[in-house]
Amino acid sequence: MDNSKIAQIRSFNRAVTRRVGALEESYLSRGRPLGEARVLFEIGPEGAALGGLRSRLGLDSGYLSRILRSLEAQGLVSVEKLDGDARSRYAKLTATGLKEHAAYDALSDELANSVLEPLSHAGRDRLVAAMAEVERLLAAASVTIDEEDTNGAEAQQCVALYVEELASRFEEGFDTSKGSTATGDEFTRPRGSFLIARLDGDPVGCGAVRMLDATTAEIKRMWVSPAARGLGVAGRMLRRLEAIARELGAQSVCLDTNRSLKEAQSLYLREGYEEVARFNDNPYADHWYSKRL
């Protein structure tokens, strides 16, 4: 990696942590450090499951437990078991916690105003636009893509959302009994693989690959949640599936798509796929592509 880029990121991190008060023992002068303030804010008036908090904030369970114990001792938070699941717990703000949350909310607005106020109108627009771009790129860098059990609950959830979108976008709808007959076992090594993309712990995409024969692999079930589009997830997923296909012995990879999925067609062409003649009997396919690995 370019050392100048690494140096710029480190400089940016130092500037931000200093300007927003992250180094202060009492964040926004409310008597507690940033970590506790952030957890309090993330719990919010609606409350939050601890598993969701851990994923959203990237905290290990031990550190989160210590923060919650401190907030409980301050009378700001209560932690309860979820109904019907003794293993899951839910954090809620007390009446005092709700007042503290409102205080942080107001002070955070003041801090944001203090950053913008010295700048010209053009400077404010530039800063806000730059922040939005940084946030988007940080989200893109935070997406993880891992091989997972195709029969798992989250894999099935992704496939269901994939099918739902196809049904809404295809001109003729989408009937699973007429589409792919591939089974989950075909997307399990050594015959294939199933990937799930996650952002802050939540599934935002999936993709699968299976071997058609000793040297040819087929990519299936490529889907990215609308909330994660524009982050480069599909391209990363496709390249990861190609790498797995190579590991499984494939010398080429193929796929098909419907005419309604223009963005998918553009992606495949950008990634070096060539349109070829029909190679299957998928009734929903209008375009077929292949790529040498």
Side-chain angles (χ1 to χ4, degrees):
M1 189 62 68
D2 187 337
N3 287 336
S4 66
K5 291 183 172 64
I6 292 174
Q8 180 58 62
I9 288 175
R10 294 183 60 182
S11 175
F12 177 83
N13 290 344
R14 291 193 297 273
V16 170
T17 53
R18 179 183 61 81
R19 186 63 183 85
V20 303
L23 303 177
E24 298 173 9
E25 186 175 356
S26 176
Y27 182 65
L28 294 179
S29 302
R30 297 300 297 177
R32 60 191 63 85
L34 176 60
E36 291 187 5
R38 181 61 188 275
V39 169
L40 183 77
F41 190 83
E42 289 292 334
I43 293 171
E46 298 81 18
L50 300 200
L53 275 178
R54 284 195 298 271
S55 296
R56 193 158 63 247
L57 296 175
L59 301 177
D60 66 68
S61 56
Y63 183 47
L64 179 60
S65 293
R66 290 194 294 275
I67 290 177
L68 289 172
R69 284 197 298 270
S70 176
L71 294 175
E72 284 183 293
Q74 297 171 52
L76 304 174
V77 170
S78 65
V79 178
E80 307 166 357
K81 292 181 180 178
L82 285 172
D83 292 340
D85 189 348
R87 297 172 301 175
S88 298
R89 296 188 299 159
Y90 197 83
K92 297 175 62 176
L93 299 183
T94 64
T96 303
L98 288 169
K99 292 179 182 177
E100 197 66 10
H101 182 277
Y104 274 122
D105 212 16
L107 289 169
S108 294
D109 281 348
E110 289 181 16
L111 176 61
N113 277 317
S114 75
V115 172
L116 294 171
E117 195 277 331
L119 302 176
S120 66
H121 289 297
R124 294 169 191 172
D125 289 343
R126 287 174 57 199
L127 178 60
V128 170
M131 286 180 164
E133 179 69 359
V134 168
E135 184 176 6
R136 187 186 71 83
L137 291 172
L138 286 175
S142 299
V143 173
T144 61
I145 300 176
D146 296 297
E147 292 187 66
E148 306 211 13
D149 180 6
T150 186
N151 296 311
E154 291 186 329
Q156 294 302 305
Q157 173 190 340
C158 286
V159 171
L161 291 170
Y162 157 82
V163 169
E164 182 180 309
E165 178 161 355
L166 296 189
S168 68
R169 295 186 63 179
F170 288 5
E171 295 173 9
E172 62 273 43
F174 184 75
D175 182 345
T176 54
S177 67
K178 297 178 182 178
S180 173
T181 58
T183 65
D185 291 341
E186 293 182 76
F187 301 126
T188 302
R189 286 183 184 257
R191 300 177 66 187
S193 179
F194 190 91
L195 301 180
I196 294 181
R198 285 187 170 82
L199 177 59
D200 295 334
D202 296 324
V204 294
C206 66
V209 61
R210 61 173 177 169
M211 296 298 294
L212 294 181
D213 56 43
T215 61
T216 307
E218 182 182 26
I219 289 174
K220 303 290 291 182
R221 299 179 184 174
M222 281 274 294
W223 171 79
V224 176
S225 165
R229 288 173 192 170
L231 301 181
V233 178
R236 284 180 58 192
M237 183 97 64
L238 186 61
R239 292 187 289 274
R240 180 71 178 277
L241 290 169
E242 291 171 358
I244 292 171
R246 289 189 191 93
E247 294 173 10
L248 298 175
Q251 297 176 13
S252 66
V253 64
C254 61
L255 51 83
D256 61 54
T257 191
N258 184 271
R259 61 184 177 275
S260 302
L261 305 180
K262 302 296 185 184
E263 66 276 32
Q265 297 166 43
S266 296
L267 170 66
Y268 302 144
L269 293 173
R270 286 198 309 271
E271 293 295 325
Y273 285 76
E274 295 182 352
E275 191 155 5
V276 296
R278 174 189 283 271
F279 56 78
N280 61 22
D281 58 358
N282 181 359
Y284 296 109
D286 300 297
H287 300 275
W288 294 262
Y289 296 91
S290 180
K291 178 180 179 179
R292 294 289 298 176
L293 296 177

